[in-house]
Amino acid sequence: METLLLILAVVLTVVGIAGCILPGLPGTVLSYAALLCCYGCDTTLLTPTQLWVWAGVSVVVMALDYVLPAYMTKLFGGSRASAIGAIIGLFAGIFFTPVGMLMGSFLGAVIGEMLHDNSDPARALKAGVGSFIAFITGTGIKLFASLWMMLIVFRELAAALGV
């Protein structure tokens, strides 16, 4: 059973890292599931406290992934309309490649701002850039968390193998 859990943990880790970039896969949640698999092993070095901390990290990272585009859009001078447009564009872009998510958030912010006030296209473009930066930042945060969890999974694998 332990071997099966460790194999599943490695698979979930790899898919979790891919999910940080690919749309539709909750990368940090899958990486956290890998930690849960490791915790089920007899040789685990994980503590319940560590699992709770990583659960919290996973929830915060997921929330940031959805909130950051709207926040950064407003930070870059966009109105509420561009922030809403960024969120709508992000969700619309999920049905396409990662490029669709990038462009969806950017275009949603620009279109939302232009619908709100079409007299300043430069401000609309700046709001779109804020949304783009937020998407890149969110992806980086997800990758960082998932890669850190991958290191923990590999430590658990090494402990199970006696290395």
Side-chain angles (χ1 to χ4, degrees), residues 29-153:
V29 173
L30 293 171
S31 294
Y32 180 72
L35 293 182
L36 290 175
C37 288
C38 290
Y39 187 71
C41 295
D42 295 333
T43 59
T44 189
L45 302 173
L46 286 167
T47 65
T49 302
Q50 289 172 319
L51 286 177
W52 280 109
V53 167
W54 279 109
V57 167
S58 297
V59 168
V60 168
V61 168
M62 278 182 47
L64 276 176
D65 197 34
Y66 291 103
V67 172
L68 208 54
Y71 173 75
M72 292 291 284
T73 300
K74 289 187 89 161
L75 187 67
F76 274 65
S79 66
R80 187 176 187 320
S82 60
I84 292 169
I87 292 171
I88 292 170
L90 178 66
F91 281 112
I94 286 174
F95 298 108
F96 302 100
T97 64
V99 174
M101 290 177 69
L102 275 171
M103 294 305 298
S105 182
F106 174 79
L107 290 174
V110 171
I111 292 168
E113 189 61 32
M114 291 299 289
L115 288 173
H116 172 71
D117 179 14
N118 64 0
S119 66
D120 193 0
R123 187 171 110 185
L125 189 61
K126 187 176 175 186
V129 168
S131 177
F132 176 79
I133 290 171
F135 182 83
I136 297 299
T137 303
T139 300
I141 292 169
K142 288 188 296 187
L143 274 172
F144 181 78
S146 289
L147 288 171
W148 194 339
M149 286 188 259
M150 179 188 75
L151 291 175
I152 295 170
V153 168

Side-chain angles (χ1 to χ4, degrees), residues 14-28 30 142:
V14 171
V15 175
I17 290 171
C20 292
I21 300 165
L22 298 173
L25 291 175
T28 52
L30 293 171
K142 288 188 296 187

